[in-house]
């Protein structure tokens, strides 16, 4: 299900090959705007300084197959350390950052993401890792001194018919149709869980050196989402069946602190089709909200956090017809994950008005605010300098061909899905990855990594940063953390 993109920069071998100039200081200036205080400055510095080495290490793991990590070369505005990602509102320009293509891998993303995981799994096994498939840890075993000494788990025999059934259900769950129709995903999860419960046996493994929790986020646990991030409870979860918060809850069961659990990355993508991005995004009152060519994660954040989850794209008749044509299937188009959702929104989740006043009434907006938003956009759209949101002129248009349409891009609109992942997790020591309890004290022999832990991408998400952080692994500085427990019966043994 992963896109297979690893965020890297600061002067990687791929950047040198593409004759792109970049350095760790430039990379850090941009990332600091996104990361803020999720991790300490020292950790962010280390991440940027080691970025080039991380890519070299990945190439070495690929057994001499660096072709899997070739630099993508799309328009610079859409890649890496670039101005498109830094837009959060009027005038929020990254003037201190040199635009640089910075992400990997490349040309055939489906093949590359398989290369990434399969390569790392292969090298891990070669180094002695034993994998227990079809297994779920249910409880941590803790000594009287508070050290984690092992795990209690339930396992389905990998050679059994039940395991084959679970595998088939997971493959079905990983298809794009599950994202388009979340109710299908819920049914698949229930069937897989039932099959596991009927056919599992209990086992135990001792941990001489420690236990690392690396079980993904909690976006598929809708109860946890409602508890920690209610603004996103109506959005569509994006993650595997295992992104159920089990790793985080296991850590909490032995006293681990969690933080930034309210932080969710919501991708409100509507480009392509290009015609939608040529309209304007307004909040539920009719005020323009953001530059429409912004990164989808930034747009989703603004809608959820600054517009109470409610927003619309306003377009006119000409753009509406263009959007329909651009969303239709065709060569080079990702119809199931781009065109189909856009068509659903255009045909099933839009309002139409002969005038802006009529459109505002149908959408519950303020007529004056909406009319002023469109008027100001029409005046400033031909020139980025004339637009207070500084939108790229290539994505502008004049909205003057009625009737007008309002496409509902609210966070919870199930007819125009807004995929989400969780960013918060267990508080860890930044240098060691050790899970921390109250007072910043480490829990003996317990560690957390990836989306189970706080890290570089726990404030705002940028494409590829989660995989890079998962491999690098960092944690938060000392600050006030959430201390409420979310145990779900995972107690101390």
């Amino acid at each position: 299900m992963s896109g297979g993109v690893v965020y890297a920069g600061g002067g990687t071998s791929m950047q040198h090959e593409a004759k792109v100039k970049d350095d760790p200081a430039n990379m850090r200036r941009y990332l600091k705007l996104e990361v803020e205080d999720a991790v300490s400055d020292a950790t962010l510095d280390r991440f940027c300084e080691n970025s080039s080495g991380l890519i070299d290490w990945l190439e070495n793991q690929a057994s001499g197959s660096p072709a899997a990590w070739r630099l993508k070369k799309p328009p610079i505005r859409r890649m890496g350390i670039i101005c498109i990602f830094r837009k959060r509102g009027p005038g929020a320009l990254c003037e201190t950052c040199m635009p640089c293509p910075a992400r990997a891998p490349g040309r055939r993303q489906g093949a590359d993401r398989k290369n990434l995981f399969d390569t790392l799994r292969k090298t891990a096994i070669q180094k002695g890792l034993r994998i227990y498939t079809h297994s779920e840890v249910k409880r941590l075993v803790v000594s009287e001194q508070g050290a984690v000494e092992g795990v209690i788990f339930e396992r389905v025999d990998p050679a059994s018919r039940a395991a084959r059934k679970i595998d088939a259900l997971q493959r079905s769950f990983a298809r794009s149709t599950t994202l388009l129709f979340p109710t299908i995903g819920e049914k698949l999860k229930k069937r897989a869980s039932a099959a596991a419960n009927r056919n599992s046996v209990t086992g135990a493994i001792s941990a001489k050196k420690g236990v690392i929790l690396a079980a993904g986020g909690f976006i598929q646990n809708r109860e946890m989402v409602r508890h920690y991030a209610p603004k996103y409870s109506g959005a569509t979860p994006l993650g595997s069946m295992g992104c159920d918060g089990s790793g985080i809850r296991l850590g909490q069961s032995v006293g681990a602190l969690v933080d930034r659990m309210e932080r969710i990355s919501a991708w409100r993508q509507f480009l392509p089709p290009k015609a939608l991005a040529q309209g304007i995004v307004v909040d539920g009152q009719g005020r323009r909200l953001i530059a429409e060519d912004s990164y989808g994660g930034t747009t989703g954040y603004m809608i959820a956090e600054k517009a109470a989850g409610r927003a619309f794209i306003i377009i006119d008749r000409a753009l509406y017809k263009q959007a329909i044509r651009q969303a239709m299937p065709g060569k080079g188009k990702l119809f199931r994950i781009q065109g189909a959702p856009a068509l659903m929104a255009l045909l099933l989740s839009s309002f139409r008005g002969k005038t802006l006043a009529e459109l505002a009434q149908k959408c519950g907006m303020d007529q004056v605010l909406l009319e002023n938003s469109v008027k100001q956009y029409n005046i400033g759209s031909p020139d980025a300098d004339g637009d207070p949101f500084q939108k790229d002129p290539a994505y502008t248009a004049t909205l003057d061909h009625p009737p007008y349409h309002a496409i509902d891009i609210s966070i919870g609109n199930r007819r125009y899905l807004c995929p989400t992942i969780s960013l918060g997790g267990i508080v860890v020591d930044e240098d060691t990855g050790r899970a921390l309890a109250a007072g910043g004290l480490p829990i003996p022999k317990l560690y957390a990594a990836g989306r189970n832990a706080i890290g570089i991408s726990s404030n705002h998400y940028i494409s590829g940063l989660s995989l890079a952080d998962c491999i690098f692994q960092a944690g938060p500085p000392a600050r006030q953390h959430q201390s409420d427990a979310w145990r779900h019966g995972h107690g101390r043994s």
Side-chain angles (χ1 to χ4, degrees), residues 86-389:
R86 51 64 182 141
K87 283 187 174 181
R88 289 207 188 87
L93 297 179
C94 181
E95 297 176 352
T96 61
C97 306
M98 178 179 67
C100 297
R103 299 187 302 176
R107 303 178 185 122
R108 293 173 301 170
Q109 195 175 53
D112 288 331
R113 62 181 175 233
K114 179 175 173 57
N115 288 342
L116 169 66
F117 180 76
D118 286 355
T119 295
L120 294 179
R121 176 173 56 184
K122 178 181 177 181
T123 56
I125 292 173
Q126 289 173 345
K127 293 175 182 179
L129 179 71
R130 285 187 295 170
I131 298 178
Y132 290 76
T133 63
H134 302 87
S135 304
E136 181 179 1
V137 174
K138 293 294 187 179
R139 192 170 71 228
L140 298 177
V141 179
V142 181
S143 70
E144 293 181 359
Q145 291 74 33
V148 176
E149 301 293 349
V151 299
I152 304 296
F153 68 98
E154 293 183 359
R155 189 186 194 197
V156 176
D157 182 356
S160 68
R161 181 178 179 182
R164 292 193 295 273
K165 178 179 180 180
I166 293 171
D167 288 343
L169 291 169
Q170 289 180 328
R171 285 193 296 270
S172 296
F173 187 88
R175 293 171 183 158
S176 57
T177 49
T178 302
L179 186 63
L180 292 173
F181 305 102
T183 53
I184 295 178
E186 289 296 325
K187 293 178 180 178
L188 292 172
K189 282 194 297 184
K190 290 180 180 179
R191 290 173 61 190
S193 179
N197 291 337
R198 287 194 304 266
N199 297 278
S200 62
V201 295
T202 301
I205 301 176
S206 62
K208 294 181 180 179
K209 296 182 178 180
V211 171
I212 303 172
L213 301 172
F218 63 89
I219 201 64
Q220 293 291 355
N221 188 321
R222 306 314 290 170
E223 188 176 350
M224 286 184 73
V225 172
R226 285 190 292 271
H227 177 78
Y228 286 113
K231 293 179 182 178
Y232 301 89
S233 60
T236 305
L238 176 61
S240 70
M241 285 186 182
C243 294
D244 60 359
S246 56
I248 295 173
R249 300 199 311 274
L250 283 167
Q252 289 177 295
S253 73
V254 295
L257 293 177
V258 296
D259 197 13
R260 298 180 183 264
M261 298 291 280
E262 78 286 355
R263 305 297 291 189
I264 300 289
S265 183
W267 285 282
R268 177 41 81 195
Q269 306 279 25
F270 44 78
L271 177 66
K274 180 181 178 180
L276 288 182
Q278 291 177 278
I280 61 171
V281 171
V282 299
D283 63 17
Q285 297 298 311
R287 298 183 187 87
R288 192 174 174 203
L289 187 63
I290 192 173
E292 293 75 20
D293 62 342
S294 294
Y295 176 57
T298 304
T299 303
Y301 172 84
M302 291 294 291
I303 296 173
E305 302 293 337
K306 306 299 181 182
R310 187 134 176 89
F312 298 87
I313 298 177
I314 307 301
I315 56 177
D316 63 5
R317 181 189 65 213
L319 288 179
Y320 185 86
K321 290 182 178 179
Q322 289 178 33
I324 292 287
R325 289 196 298 270
Q326 292 169 1
M328 296 297 286
K331 185 177 180 180
K333 294 182 179 180
L334 299 175
F335 178 71
R336 285 186 295 176
I337 61 175
Q338 292 176 343
L343 282 175
M344 287 177 64
L346 288 162
L347 300 175
L348 303 177
S349 192
S350 64
F351 298 86
R352 180 176 179 272
K354 295 179 180 178
T355 64
L356 290 172
E358 181 182 335
L359 188 66
Q361 183 179 17
K362 289 185 176 181
C363 297
M365 300 181 198
D366 183 291
Q367 173 186 335
V368 175
L369 287 177
L370 180 60
E371 289 177 339
N372 285 341
S373 294
V374 173
K375 179 180 178 181
Q376 292 173 7
Y377 178 67
N378 286 343
I379 293 173
S381 65
D383 184 356
D385 293 334
D387 181 5
F389 290 84

